[in-house]
Amino acid sequence: MATKILYFTVNGRPEQAEFPLDCPAQDVKDLFRSAAEAGPHDILKLYNPKGNIINISPSLEPNSPSSCYKLEVVAADCNNEPFGAELAGALGFDLSSMEKRLQGLEKNILIEAGETPAAVYEMKKQVDSFREKLESVEHLSWLGLFKDLSEGTHKPSPFYHKRTLRKTKKECEHVRENSLEVSEEVRQYLKTPTFDNWQWEDAEIMVLLQVMYTDLDFIAIFNIEPEVLQQFLFEVYRRYNNIPFHNFKHCFCVTQMMYGLIWLTDLRSKMDSTDLLIMLTSAVCHDLDHTGYNNAYQINARTELALRYNDISPLENHHCAVAFEILEKKESNIFRNLPMDQYKRIREGIIKCVLATDMTSHNEILNKFKSILPTFDFTIKDHRDVLMMILIKVSDISNEARPMEVAEPWLDCLLQEFYNQSDMEKLEGLPVTPFMDRDKVNKPSSQTGFIRFVLLPLFIELANLFPSLEQHIINPVRKALDYYTEMEKALEREKVNRAQSENAAKSKETAMGTQSTADSQSETSKPDPQ
Ligand code: LUO
Ligand code: ZN
C-alpha cells in the first residue's frame, strides 16, 4: 500500500506522519490531532513552509524534514474580535450564512404576511444570543482556549492557565521530581475525611498515594515493586485531563476518602486485602481520561465513546479500559507478581467498582444494598461486592462530607464543568441537562437538592452498617445542607428585596410622570402672570 510521509513541527517538536495515499480526510485530521495531543474540541491550524495556513487533508504535498509544515493547537487569543466568527467556523457553524438565511426568510415573510411572525423573531433572538455567547469567551476556556484572568475581579480558576486538555510533557516531568518526606502526623491526617487536598501540589499527592498503598501493606502482601507503583501512578496522573472537576485532584480526593473509610470502618478486620486493593485501585482509576462531558452528552452527540460502548456507560467503560491499558504495560502493572486467578479476581472487582460510579445505576445499587442490609454477611461474596460498589460511590460524591473550605471550591469546579458542557450543548443544538444550564441553575438550590435526595440517603444507609460514620461523614453533610439552605434563603430574600425596590422605583417614576403631566397641565391652565 503506497503511503505518504509528511514532516512537520508541533510547538517546535519535529514530528512525521505517514498515511496511505487513499486515507480518508478525517483520519488524516485525527492523525495530526493525536500528534498535537489535542482534545476533540481543540482547534488545529497547519501552516506550509511559506507561512500560509493550509487545509489538513490527504492531498497535502509530500515534503522533506528541511521544509517542515508547522502544526498549531489553536488557543485563540481572546482579544481577537470578532472571535465568535472564528470559533463558530471551527465548530462547523457558519454564523453569517445562518443570519443571511434568516434575513432572506424574514424578508419573504414580511412581504407575504406583512409582519415578522413570533417564530422568526424567536430565531433572530437565538442567533443573536449565539453570536453574543461566541464572542464572550470567558466560559469557553473549554475548547483549549484561555483568557488571562489574572487582572480584574475574576478569581482565576486553577485550570484557565492550562492551554490543552491533555497534560504536556513538561507537566508530567515535573510530577516525577518529588521525594516528599511524609511525617507520622501527615500519615494520620491522611486517614481522615477532613484532609484538605487544596494544600498539596500534584507531585506531593503522588507521594501520598504511594503512602496509602504502603500503609495498607499492599506493597508487602502483593509484592508490588515501588518503582512499578510509581510508574503506575505516573501513568494515571498523565491520563487524567486538565479540566475543572474530573481531574487528578478529584481522583486523589476519591481515593483519599476511600482510604479514610477503610480506616474509619476498620474494614481490614472485616474484608481481605484483595478486596481493599480492588477498592483503592478502582478509586485511583475511576475517572481516567474524563474529558468533562458526561454520558448524556456522549450519547446525544454520538461521540466515538458512545459508538464504541453502544451508549452503555460509555465514560465508565472508557475509564476502566484506560486503567487496564496502563496495567497491561509490564513497567506499570502493579499486579504483575500475582498468580493469574488473583489477577482475574482483581480485574473483575475493578470493572464492577468503576462501572458502579455511573449515576444511572445509583438507585439500583442503593436499593440492592438496602435489601441485604438487615442480614448483611461479610462472608457472602455478593454482599461484599455490593458494599464495595457503595463505598466507591460514596467516595466519588463525598465532597460535602469535607470541611466547607475544602468542599465549596469543588462545587465551583463542578458547576464550571457542567456549564462548559451545557454551553457546548447549546452551540451544537443538543439537549441541555437542566441542572447544568448556567441560565437555570442556582448554586445553593442545586446543592440542597443533591444533598437531601442523593447524598444523605446514600450515606445514611452506609452508616446503618458502620455507625461510626454518623459522626465523621453524616454530621458534616448535615452542616453543609444547613449552609446551602441558609444561602438559598438569603438569595431568595435578596431577590424579593430587589423586586420590591424595582417596583418602588417604577411606581415612583409613574408618580413622577403623572405629577409632571399634572404640573404641565396646571401650567397651561394657569392665567399668564404678564
Ligand atoms: C452526582 C454527580 C454526578 C456527576 C458528576 C458529579 C456529581 N457530583 C455532584 N453533583 N459529585 C459531587 C457532587 C455535588 O456535591 N453536587 C452535585 N450537584 C448537582 C449538580 C447534582 O444534582 N448532581 C447530580 C445529581 C444526580 C445525578 O444523577 C442521578 C447526577 C448529577
Ligand atoms: Zn468521580
Side-chain angles (χ1 to χ4, degrees):
M1 164 72 78
T3 61
K4 182 187 283 187
I5 296 182
L6 295 178
Y7 299 91
F8 58 101
T9 59
V10 188
N11 303 332
R13 190 177 74 234
E15 292 279 357
Q16 59 193 68
E18 181 171 10
F19 50 85
L21 292 179
D22 63 349
C23 183
Q26 189 51 50
D27 292 5
V28 176
K29 287 182 172 32
D30 290 348
L31 195 59
F32 276 85
R33 185 172 294 282
S34 50
E37 293 181 13
H41 298 292
D42 289 339
I43 302 161
L44 298 183
K45 275 184 175 175
L46 187 66
Y47 297 87
N48 65 15
K50 282 184 279 182
N52 301 327
I53 189 164
I54 51 177
N55 188 23
I56 300 177
S57 81
S59 54
L60 279 167
E61 276 306 306
N63 63 344
S64 66
S66 56
S67 65
C68 277
Y69 291 118
K70 194 173 120 203
L71 181 67
E72 270 195 6
V73 182
V74 177
D77 171 2
C78 305
N79 303 316
N80 261 348
E81 297 299 340
F83 165 79
E86 183 180 320
L87 176 61
L91 289 176
F93 280 89
D94 184 347
L95 211 56
S96 51
S97 77
M98 216 190 237
E99 285 176 324
K100 282 204 188 74
R101 278 208 314 273
L102 197 56
Q103 279 148 13
L105 184 67
E106 189 182 10
K107 210 184 310 159
N108 297 343
I109 288 176
L110 264 178
I111 292 164
E112 279 154 37
E115 59 169 11
T116 308
V120 175
Y121 180 70
E122 186 48 39
M123 279 166 80
K124 269 172 69 66
K125 249 179 48 181
Q126 285 215 3
V127 172
D128 292 344
S129 83
F130 273 7
R131 170 173 292 289
E132 196 185 296
K133 209 161 268 304
L134 283 171
E135 281 161 5
S136 66
V137 291
E138 185 158 333
H139 52 269
L140 287 181
S141 65
W142 202 240
L143 295 172
L145 310 175
F146 72 108
K147 184 178 173 69
D148 180 5
L149 294 171
S150 45
E151 80 281 352
T153 51
H154 291 284
K155 179 173 170 295
S157 146
F159 305 97
Y160 272 106
H161 65 286
K162 310 271 183 194
R163 288 176 71 92
T164 61
L165 208 56
R166 299 290 185 279
K167 289 209 169 68
T168 60
K169 270 209 171 68
K170 199 157 137 272
E171 278 172 295
C172 290
E173 286 319 310
H174 171 67
V175 145
R176 273 192 189 283
E177 310 142 8
N178 199 297
S179 56
L180 170 79
E181 286 307 310
V182 182
S183 67
E184 185 48 32
E185 187 197 357
V186 168
R187 292 181 112 94
Q188 291 313 314
Y189 177 38
L190 189 63
K191 297 174 182 175
T192 71
T194 59
F195 194 87
D196 180 357
N197 69 281
W198 300 111
Q199 305 304 321
W200 303 83
E201 288 291 322
D202 287 353
E204 295 167 324
I205 285 175
M206 295 287 279
V207 178
L208 296 174
L209 288 168
Q210 290 172 60
V211 164
M212 296 181 200
Y213 277 80
T214 310
D215 284 10
L216 284 172
D217 287 334
F218 292 164
I219 304 293
I221 298 168
F222 302 103
N223 190 9
I224 300 174
E225 295 116 309
E227 65 278 10
V228 177
L229 176 60
Q230 281 163 18
Q231 185 59 26
F232 168 71
L233 292 171
F234 174 71
E235 283 298 306
V236 162
Y237 175 78
R238 194 172 66 82
R239 296 304 302 270
Y240 273 95
N241 296 315
N242 291 324
I243 54 181
F245 185 87
H246 289 100
N247 51 50
F248 179 68
K249 291 184 190 300
H250 170 65
C251 147
F252 171 72
C253 286
V254 174
T255 308
Q256 191 274 325
M257 186 56 76
M258 176 66 89
Y259 183 69
L261 288 170
I262 288 171
W263 290 104
L264 277 175
T265 58
D266 188 21
L267 219 44
R268 296 205 307 166
S269 66
K270 300 169 179 113
M271 297 177 83
D272 70 21
S273 293
T274 305
D275 280 343
L276 302 184
L277 176 67
I278 289 167
M279 288 156 47
L280 199 74
T281 309
S282 299
V284 169
C285 300
H286 85 284
D287 272 333
L288 274 166
D289 196 32
H290 199 302
T291 54
Y293 293 82
N294 71 358
N295 283 330
Y297 176 88
Q298 303 293 333
I299 294 166
N300 291 330
R302 303 215 295 269
T303 62
E304 199 185 312
L305 282 190
L307 229 53
R308 186 183 305 157
Y309 293 112
N310 305 307
D311 296 350
I312 301 165
S313 305
L315 278 178
E316 292 72 19
N317 271 299
H318 180 57
H319 304 323
C320 203
V322 173
F324 284 96
E325 277 170 29
I326 294 170
L327 291 164
E328 276 308 301
K329 290 189 255 181
K330 192 171 179 330
E331 66 276 12
S332 52
N333 179 8
I334 53 174
F335 308 135
R336 72 186 194 186
N337 297 328
L338 300 178
M340 185 42 77
D341 61 329
Q342 198 166 19
Y343 177 87
K344 282 182 180 303
R345 175 183 161 193
I346 291 171
R347 173 168 162 80
E348 180 206 330
I350 291 176
I351 291 169
K352 212 170 272 183
C353 284
V354 172
L355 292 186
T357 61
D358 181 352
M359 285 301 282
T360 318
S361 328
H362 177 75
N363 291 323
E364 178 197 342
I365 295 170
L366 182 55
N367 291 336
K368 186 153 185 201
F369 185 58
K370 277 180 185 167
S371 67
I372 62 174
L373 255 183
T375 58
F376 193 89
D377 181 346
F378 279 94
T379 63
I380 301 173
K381 181 175 182 317
D382 191 40
H383 286 201
R384 291 197 305 273
D385 284 353
V386 178
L387 175 59
M388 288 160 73
M389 292 193 274
I390 288 288
L391 286 166
I392 193 167
K393 280 177 51 61
V394 164
S395 304
D396 192 17
I397 61 176
S398 62
N399 291 328
E400 292 301 344
R402 297 178 182 277
M404 189 43 69
E405 64 278 6
V406 178
E408 191 162 15
W410 276 115
L411 181 57
D412 294 332
C413 291
L414 178 66
L415 292 177
Q416 159 137 36
E417 197 169 295
F418 280 0
Y419 294 162
N420 282 307
Q421 172 175 321
S422 58
D423 289 343
M424 190 52 73
E425 288 167 333
K426 290 172 190 170
L427 283 173
E428 294 175 337
L430 296 171
V432 180
T433 315
F435 64 70
M436 293 186 163
D437 186 342
R438 66 170 74 245
D439 305 327
K440 291 200 180 111
V441 168
N442 97 18
K443 176 170 153 181
S445 55
S446 83
Q447 202 58 355
T448 49
F450 173 74
I451 293 174
R452 212 174 267 129
F453 303 116
V454 181
L455 219 48
L456 275 175
L458 176 64
F459 285 23
I460 287 165
E461 279 318 311
L462 185 62
N464 285 340
L465 192 60
F466 303 107
S468 67
L469 296 184
E470 182 74 32
Q471 174 210 341
H472 292 100
I473 304 280
I474 294 192
N475 288 350
V477 173
R478 290 196 197 284
K479 276 202 207 105
L481 181 55
D482 297 343
Y483 174 81
Y484 286 111
T485 307
E486 278 316 303
M487 196 194 279
E488 200 175 15
K489 285 181 190 154
L491 259 180
E492 205 41 50
R493 278 195 298 275
E494 196 195 300
K495 220 189 276 179
V496 167
N497 295 344
R498 203 176 323 117
Q500 280 167 347
S501 50
E502 276 164 10
N503 290 341
K506 273 203 194 93
S507 48
K508 197 165 159 237
E509 240 174 61
T510 325
M512 297 281 278
T514 326
Q515 185 57 45
S516 67
T517 317
D519 290 352
S520 62
Q521 275 163 356
S522 68
E523 277 304 306
T524 47
S525 63
K526 233 187 259 167
D528 189 339
Q530 272 77 357

